[in-house]
Amino acid sequence: MSPSAAGARLASLDVVRGVAVLGILLLNILSFAMPEAAYVNPRAYGGWHGADLATWAINFVLFDGRMRGLFSFLFGASTLLVVERAEASGRSPAGVHYRRMAWLLVFGIAHLFLVWHGDILAHYAMMGMIAYAMRRLPVPRLLVLGAMLALAGAVLFATIPLGIVQLQAQTPNAPALHGYAQAFGIPSPADIAKDLALHRGSYGTILADRLREDGGALFALFVFFGPETLGYMLFGMAALRSGMLRGEWPRARYRRWLIACWGIGLPAYAALAWWQWRSGFDMRVVAAMLPLTALVRPPMIAGWICLILLLARPDGALTARLAAAGRMAFTNYLATSLICTTLFYGYGLGWYGQLARWQLYPVVFAIWALILLWSKAWLDHFRFGPFEWVWRSLARWRFQPIRGGAPDSNASASQ
């Protein structure tokens, strides 16, 4: 994208965010539609031969963890942008930031318990509160600290496969192995039947299960994924401050970075995919992907940023729709949860566990089409997406103007 105008540079951030909010559904759809272990292990549920295996392999090599990581990069960049704009306008940057994070935490907890167990907003709010302290660091220090945090995350992840190996060697029937099998292996038929019955049941039954189980999951997410998420937010701040996410780099530099980053990442991910398949998706091997992919994920995410900005045409119709989807990323993320839980859970159409892995992707593409159609149509008449408007109004303690087309900046997407 051309860096010739400030509006275009900021639009580049929206386009990347639009791709991220669409791309994250490629993996989240598995959590909406199938038992938990199917997310990482195709043998757990949904099929692992033919088209199902190809679908898993494409997701693993190109998208798994990359879209979530891209979202984390963008969250850090948007946080920095909002703080800098608050300072420039004479407002308290700490006040602006922590009000935003506090309300995001409220939204996230409500989403987690009332809509879907896979919420990421509450986690981002907590990590965003910490990231604020690093906002003034120069790019080299952001990168070094981000790398240290990502490495610490990989070390934490490594405790899981090591724990599985140790338990299998010392206590083959340990209850903890049952939990590991539900997350990384092949759950028993009884566990699968229980999960299917739960998610095909009533809203009250699903809500009661979330209230009982998901508080601990939020804490576990903070402990195990917190260092990595915080590191990625710092990478995003560095990418914004360096001009990478603003679209300010020469195209030749984006091409060099893409070749270098994916030259590292793609062969590594392909080798890891082959190892899992060759092992028959052994639980130990699948769990080992947590630390191993963590080591090569950051360059793949950087490569995705470069690829998106190289392909995006400043005046293209698809670029405009992706930018609109990005400006409404908060609304679109929540809308995706509402749509998918309605499609798959028992209080809606009850499709949970009914589709093979590959059959989920026509559903994904249909939701993408809805997002691309409705986001631009909405922003042609309103300044912010509906949930962006609510969040912004709550954070500022007064109703914000919403009538009129969206301004050509990232303020709407960042607050």
Side-chain angles (χ1 to χ4, degrees):
M1 299 187 70
S2 172
S4 59
R9 292 196 299 268
L10 294 172
S12 69
L13 195 60
D14 282 332
V15 172
V16 177
R17 189 184 291 109
V19 172
V21 77
L22 296 179
I24 203 167
L25 184 58
L26 290 168
L27 285 306
N28 282 354
I29 194 70
L30 298 165
S31 292
F32 285 117
M34 294 181 179
E36 179 184 0
Y39 188 96
V40 294
N41 192 331
R43 282 194 68 180
Y45 199 87
W48 64 293
H49 295 96
D52 294 314
L53 179 64
T55 300
W56 168 82
I58 291 169
N59 268 334
F60 181 81
V61 173
L62 291 177
F63 302 107
D64 187 14
R66 269 55 55 88
M67 296 297 105
R68 173 179 55 82
L70 187 57
F71 230 61
S72 302
F73 273 48
L74 293 164
F75 192 90
S78 294
T79 294
L80 183 59
L81 194 62
V82 169
V83 167
E84 290 178 345
R85 286 178 172 171
E87 291 175 334
S89 65
R91 292 176 291 154
S92 166
V96 169
H97 176 73
Y98 284 103
R99 283 196 302 272
R100 292 180 68 245
M101 294 301 102
W103 281 112
L104 185 62
L105 182 60
V106 171
F107 276 110
I109 291 173
H111 180 237
L112 171 68
F113 289 112
L114 300 179
V115 182
W116 180 50
H117 72 275
D119 171 77
I120 198 69
L121 301 177
H123 179 64
Y124 278 7
M126 291 187 289
M127 304 318 301
M129 292 178 184
I130 301 172
Y132 178 83
M134 292 81 158
R135 70 194 186 282
R136 297 191 186 279
L137 293 178
V139 170
R141 292 188 181 182
L142 286 170
L143 292 174
V144 170
L145 183 55
M148 292 172 64
L149 286 165
L151 183 59
V155 172
L156 282 172
F157 297 154
T159 62
I160 294 178
L162 291 175
I164 293 173
V165 171
Q166 184 178 26
L167 282 171
Q168 286 181 329
Q170 298 178 356
T171 317
N173 296 318
L177 282 174
H178 179 259
Y180 283 130
Q182 289 184 300
F184 302 102
I186 304 172
S188 68
D191 288 329
I192 292 291
K194 181 180 178 181
D195 185 272
L196 294 176
L198 170 66
H199 290 94
R200 292 173 183 173
S202 67
Y203 179 78
T205 303
I206 295 173
L207 175 61
D209 182 75
R210 288 199 201 107
L211 293 173
R212 184 173 57 252
E213 300 290 341
D214 288 348
L218 183 61
F219 176 75
L221 190 66
F222 179 85
V223 171
F224 277 95
F225 284 88
E228 182 188 66
T229 301
L230 181 58
Y232 287 2
M233 288 181 181
L234 300 188
F235 287 150
M237 291 182 179
L240 182 73
R241 189 162 280 161
S242 70
M244 181 191 199
L245 270 172
R246 294 179 180 271
E248 293 177 341
W249 287 7
R251 290 182 64 84
R253 188 178 184 186
Y254 284 113
R255 284 194 292 268
R256 288 196 300 271
W257 271 65
L258 173 60
I259 293 169
C261 290
W262 281 26
I264 296 169
L266 282 179
Y269 270 97
L272 293 174
W274 178 86
W275 183 27
Q276 290 177 88
W277 172 77
R278 191 74 177 83
S279 76
F281 295 97
D282 182 276
M283 176 173 63
R284 296 164 296 183
V285 176
V286 172
M289 296 304 107
L290 281 171
L292 294 176
T293 57
L295 298 175
V296 292
R297 190 178 298 125
M300 281 288 290
I301 297 168
W304 265 111
I305 294 172
C306 294
L307 180 64
I308 294 164
L309 295 180
L310 283 169
L311 294 179
R313 294 173 48 207
D315 299 321
L318 180 58
T319 300
R321 292 193 177 276
L322 286 170
R327 285 197 291 273
M328 289 177 54
F330 186 35
T331 292
N332 286 325
Y333 175 77
L334 294 176
T336 297
S337 294
L338 293 170
I339 292 170
C340 288
T341 52
T342 300
L343 291 175
F344 292 103
Y345 288 179
Y347 55 82
L349 297 183
W351 291 357
Y352 190 86
Q354 302 285 359
L355 302 179
R357 184 174 295 264
W358 73 266
Q359 291 173 328
L360 296 175
Y361 289 92
V363 178
V364 171
F365 302 147
I367 295 172
W368 283 4
L370 287 174
I371 290 173
L372 293 173
L373 287 170
W374 99 288
S375 297
K376 188 173 186 304
W378 178 276
L379 291 175
D380 284 342
H381 297 91
F382 300 99
R383 295 172 59 84
F384 314 108
F387 281 105
E388 282 82 2
W389 176 78
V390 173
W391 185 20
R392 187 182 180 95
S393 296
L394 289 169
R396 295 195 174 192
W397 298 112
R398 63 180 184 274
F399 289 113
Q400 298 297 298
I402 191 171
R403 294 286 183 181
D408 185 21
S409 80
N410 264 318
S412 59
S414 305
Q415 296 193 50

